[in-house]
Amino acid sequence: MKKIALVTGGSRGIGRAICIKLAEMGYFVIINYISNTTEAENTLSLVREKGSDGEILKFDVGDFTEVTSVLGAWVESNKDTPIEILVNNAGIRKDTLMMWLEPGDWNSVLNSSLGGFYNVTKQVLNGMLVKRYGRIINIVSLSGLKGLPGQVNYSAAKAGVIGATKALAQEVGRRGITVNAIAPGFIRTDMTQDISEKDMKGMIPVNRFGEPHEVAELVGFLASDKAGYITAEVISINGGLYS
Ligand code: NAP
């Protein structure tokens, strides 16, 4: 039977690398994105190059109504093949100091990461519960563990997802569903384009930024049936920057 994985924010960066890894593992990958159709199509080509297949599903993870109608309709019409792996990866940064943090930048960052976790997981969980198997992997951040200045919104969003990860893991463990979070440090993607690796790398014991495929390898392990006894965890991948 076709095994299905859903990766939110799969059009670029870490999400794309995760789509490729899951394709390599034989999964049919649903690639979600919000606006960059060309890059979503490029991810689908890369998935196909791995000998697997996929489908593009455009929706804003932060919009409950949209997620319910688009993803909900997909789930409804694919009842025989429930999503086995969910990677809640979509997220944005809107950095500024708290004194200048406007409601729009507070809400959009909270909506995409924390709201996205709720909106998307809500659509997918039932199928996992019925099947008595599932892997939910939430991409959080070093910022959600340590807190970083200029990222009060982002740190709050990611810390919120960490709490949700631990709580949900306890609700669904008996049903064969694991729920874990991965907390990357600095990874080379569009999101970190404005951060100078040259200036920052001295603070990182491994002396470089990480690559998206390095995060994807960890996702691949947590997504496998070998990782069935790991749940409610937050695993850092940050080159030793923070532990
Ligand atoms: P990125 O290169 O900026 O890519 C972001 C992805 O998320 C894109 O595919 C984008 O779609 C999608 N997206 C954004 N908002 C969305 C929404 N509301 N609904 C659906 N899709 C949405 O980011 P990245 O660096 O790969 O980051 C991926 C995840 O890792 C994020 O949660 C981020 O917070 C986390 N993270 C990243 C780093 C890092 O150093 N890069 C470190 C720690 C944590 P479009 O292409 O359509 O815009």
Side-chain angles (χ1 to χ4, degrees):
M1 197 168 62
K2 200 157 85 170
K3 294 196 302 173
I4 318 270
L6 165 62
V7 181
T8 68
S11 50
R12 289 182 289 123
I14 295 171
R16 168 179 285 170
I18 294 169
C19 290
I20 295 168
K21 179 67 198 175
L22 295 174
E24 222 172 74
M25 291 166 68
Y27 277 89
F28 178 95
V29 187
I30 305 172
I31 302 156
N32 157 258
Y33 75 110
I34 186 168
S35 60
N36 204 328
T37 308
T38 308
E39 294 305 332
E41 283 166 355
N42 286 340
T43 300
L44 181 56
S45 302
L46 293 164
V47 160
R48 288 181 174 146
E49 273 175 27
K50 291 290 172 188
S52 192
D53 204 357
E55 172 180 344
I56 294 170
L57 216 53
K58 178 180 177 178
F59 55 83
D60 175 355
V61 297
D63 182 334
F64 180 78
T65 309
E66 199 177 312
V67 177
T68 307
S69 74
V70 179
L71 180 58
W74 190 96
V75 167
E76 188 60 30
S77 50
N78 291 275
K79 278 195 174 134
D80 295 340
T81 50
I83 293 165
E84 209 170 86
I85 295 176
L86 165 61
V87 186
N88 286 307
N89 165 77
I92 54 167
R93 264 176 59 204
K94 290 278 165 80
D95 296 358
T96 188
L97 293 177
M98 178 67 185
M99 61 187 296
W100 293 305
L101 182 55
E102 295 298 331
D105 288 347
W106 170 260
N107 289 329
S108 61
V109 170
L110 265 288
N111 279 348
S112 58
S113 281
L114 188 54
F117 162 82
Y118 170 77
N119 298 335
V120 176
T121 307
K122 188 120 177 75
Q123 293 302 320
V124 172
L125 189 63
N126 203 43
M128 293 180 174
L129 288 169
V130 170
K131 203 176 172 193
R132 293 186 161 266
Y133 186 84
R135 296 278 184 265
I136 299 172
I137 299 156
N138 301 317
I139 307 301
V140 294
S141 171
L142 163 83
S143 187
L145 289 169
K146 184 183 179 293
L148 291 177
Q151 293 196 330
V152 168
N153 49 358
Y154 188 76
S155 299
K158 296 301 193 182
V161 176
I162 290 171
T165 300
K166 293 180 179 185
L168 180 61
Q170 293 173 62
E171 289 184 11
V172 298
R174 281 165 193 265
R175 295 287 192 109
I177 303 167
T178 64
V179 190
N180 290 292
I182 292 177
F186 293 100
I187 308 296
R188 274 185 211 123
T189 68
D190 295 344
M191 188 180 271
T192 49
Q193 250 182 354
D194 60 334
I195 304 170
S196 162
E197 182 170 351
K198 192 164 153 276
D199 294 346
M200 298 294 295
K201 70 178 185 182
M203 295 191 328
I204 305 169
V206 168
N207 204 36
R208 62 171 174 86
F209 280 10
E211 296 290 347
H213 72 83
E214 294 177 297
V215 180
E217 288 299 330
L218 180 52
V219 172
F221 176 66
L222 289 177
S224 73
D225 52 10
K226 294 177 193 140
Y229 206 56
I230 302 173
T231 195
E233 271 304 328
V234 186
I235 302 178
S236 287
I237 176 160
N238 60 29
L241 180 57
Y242 181 75
S243 62

